[in-house]
Amino acid sequence: MKTNQKLLLMLVVLFSLTSCKKYEDGPFIDFHSKTERVANSWKISQATDNGNNITSDYNKYDLNLLKNGTASLVANYKFLGVDYELTTDGTWTFLDDNEKLSFDFDNNDADGIYKILRLKEDEMWLKKDAGTLELHFVNQ
């Protein structure tokens, strides 16, 4: 009987832990709320589009997100061969059961919805919804 109880306990623990991982690339478990992890000052560490490394197109991309849902962006980047330089304020919100982030900036060029691939206190990976652009952020 004790063997069955141990097996049942192990299965419950295993099921509980595997359900903690919400995002494709982790983390496996985190004790900080999603809002606490998103609220940070972020910079681009890597950018890819359709698997191609385009990090050099992001000369500057400083994204500041606050717990109250406000956002600011200072960016110099190239997208589809066009150079963009902007400073804008706006808001961010979670969508789809906290699996996506939506950005609504005063400058609509910076708006977008991104699937969250990874969300840690010091690392956030986002993929443009219905697109191929993937941005990896680290905190500043």
Side-chain angles (χ1 to χ4, degrees), residues 14-74:
L14 180 62
F15 178 75
S16 297
L17 289 177
T18 58
S19 66
C20 290
K21 185 176 177 181
K22 182 164 188 82
Y23 306 116
E24 281 180 28
D25 291 308
F28 185 69
I29 191 167
D30 197 311
F31 296 106
H32 296 92
S33 74
K34 290 166 187 60
T35 300
E36 288 176 321
R37 287 180 273 160
V38 167
N40 213 327
S41 295
W42 300 103
K43 66 180 180 178
I44 297 281
S45 64
Q46 181 180 13
T48 60
D49 192 8
N50 205 23
N52 298 314
N53 189 328
I54 59 167
T55 307
S56 62
D57 290 347
Y58 288 81
N59 298 328
K60 179 177 186 164
Y61 200 94
D62 296 330
L63 178 63
N64 294 300
L65 306 175
L66 301 178
K67 288 181 187 177
N68 67 4
T70 60
S72 64
L73 175 65
V74 176

Side-chain angles (χ1 to χ4, degrees), residues 4 7 12-15 28 33 35 52 55 64 71-72 74 77 85-86 92 105 125 134 136:
N4 287 339
L7 180 59
V12 167
V13 169
L14 180 62
F15 178 75
F28 185 69
S33 74
T35 300
N52 298 314
T55 307
N64 294 300
S72 64
V74 176
Y77 64 97
E85 185 173 328
L86 61 95
W92 67 270
F105 286 100
W125 297 0
E134 190 170 314
H136 294 193

